[in-house]
Amino acid sequence: MNLLLLSNSTQYGRSYLEHALDVVTAFLPAKARLAFVPYALADHDAYTAKVAGAFDGTGVQVRGVHEDGDPLTRLAEADAVFVGGGNSFRLLSALYRTGLRDALAAGVRDGLPYMGASAGTNMAAPTLRTTNDMPIVQPPSFEALGLVPFQINPHYLDPDPGSTHKGETREERLTEFLEENDVPVLGLREGSWLRVDGTRAHVDGAREARLFRRGTPPLELPAGSDVSELLTVRPEFDVRG
C-alpha cells in the first residue's frame, strides 16, 4: 500500500497543508486527479474549496467525492484520495452510509495512493478506539479501514507537568486502551506523519512520534525512524488481562 498519514493538516502560524505541502505533492502522482473526502466536516463544498486552494499552482486537480451525487464514481475516477480531518465519528458514519468504507479499503489495497490528515489518518487504523474526538454521531461500527494493523493517535499531546487540569492526559487514556487491547498505538505529534510504501514504513516530520505498547514504557521515535515491523503485528482487541 501507498499511504501518507498526517497528524494534522494545519500547523500553528501556517496555512492549510503548508507545513507538509512538499511531502504531499511528492507523494501524489504528477497532475493527479485527487478525490477529496470531506465528510468529517458539515460544509462539504467549503471544505473542498479550501483543499483545492491549498493545491493551487501544483497541478493537482481536487474534486470532492460528494459532487454530482455519486461518491463511488468520483473515487473510481481518481488517481489518489485524500480523506480530510474533522470529527472521526461523523466521517466513519458517512463512509459506511455512502459505501466508501469498503470501496476505499479495496481501492487502496489495489494501489490507490491514500492520504489522510487527523480524522482521515484515524480511518487508516483498524478501529476508532484511539481517536480524540467526541462521538457526535453513532457509526454502525467502530471498525475503520484497517489499512495498517496498528492504532494511530493523531494530535498526540504530551503531559504538561505545570498544568492544573486534573483530567486524564493523552498518555493515561492510551494506557487505559492498552489495558483492554493488545495492539501498538503510534502517537503522532502535530507536525509529524507516517509514510507507508509497500512493506516499509517510517515516521517523519518536524517532531518525534511516540509508540505505545502493552506492558512497556512508551518509546520516542525521532524523525526518519523505521517502523516497518509495525506492519506485521496482529492486533488483538478486548483481551483484558
Side-chain angles (χ1 to χ4, degrees):
M1 280 182 286
N2 192 10
L3 314 175
L4 177 61
L5 305 176
L6 305 171
S7 176
N8 54 303
S9 53
T10 304
Q11 193 78 351
Y12 178 76
R14 309 187 77 173
S15 59
Y16 187 81
L17 284 180
E18 183 183 0
H19 71 290
L21 191 58
D22 289 347
V23 173
V24 168
T25 52
F27 168 75
L28 296 173
K31 299 182 179 179
R33 295 169 297 173
L34 181 64
F36 177 60
V37 179
Y39 297 131
L41 295 184
D43 191 334
H44 303 156
D45 289 336
Y47 199 3
T48 301
K50 182 177 184 178
V51 173
F55 284 101
D56 279 348
T58 66
V60 174
Q61 306 166 52
V62 177
R63 190 173 190 187
V65 294
H66 67 292
E67 297 175 15
D68 299 328
D70 187 358
L72 299 183
T73 298
R74 300 290 81 77
L75 181 67
E77 295 170 342
D79 301 310
V81 63
F82 174 29
V83 183
N87 186 276
S88 297
F89 291 91
R90 174 160 52 190
L91 172 58
L92 184 58
S93 183
L95 295 187
Y96 275 100
R97 183 174 65 250
T98 59
L100 277 172
R101 178 185 167 273
D102 290 342
L104 276 170
V108 175
R109 288 189 171 90
D110 199 35
L112 182 71
Y114 178 102
M115 184 172 85
S118 189
T121 290
N122 277 326
M123 295 303 104
T127 85
L128 278 192
R129 297 188 195 198
T130 54
T131 182
N132 307 319
D133 298 318
M134 181 177 289
I136 62 172
V137 298
Q138 182 170 311
S141 169
F142 282 178
E143 187 175 349
L145 299 177
L147 303 178
V148 295
F150 54 92
Q151 291 297 118
I152 304 174
N153 181 245
H155 303 284
Y156 176 76
L157 287 173
D158 294 292
D160 179 2
S163 174
T164 59
H165 174 65
K166 294 304 179 183
E168 293 175 320
T169 66
R170 193 69 51 78
E171 180 175 334
E172 287 171 330
R173 289 175 175 172
L174 295 179
T175 298
E176 288 174 345
F177 167 80
L178 291 169
E179 290 170 352
E180 304 286 345
N181 307 280
D182 191 359
V183 52
V185 183
L186 182 64
L188 292 176
R189 295 181 175 95
E190 294 203 345
S192 64
W193 53 81
L194 173 70
R195 181 74 172 89
V196 178
D197 186 1
T199 61
R200 309 302 301 173
H202 69 273
V203 294
D204 216 331
R207 302 183 67 192
E208 295 182 333
R210 201 166 200 222
L211 181 62
F212 293 82
R213 289 184 185 271
R214 194 178 197 188
T216 63
L219 178 66
E220 291 293 312
L221 299 173
S225 292
D226 188 320
V227 292
S228 302
E229 58 93 13
L230 291 179
L231 299 176
T232 67
V233 303
R234 298 184 64 180
E236 296 184 52
F237 296 96
D238 303 314
V239 289
R240 180 180 175 86

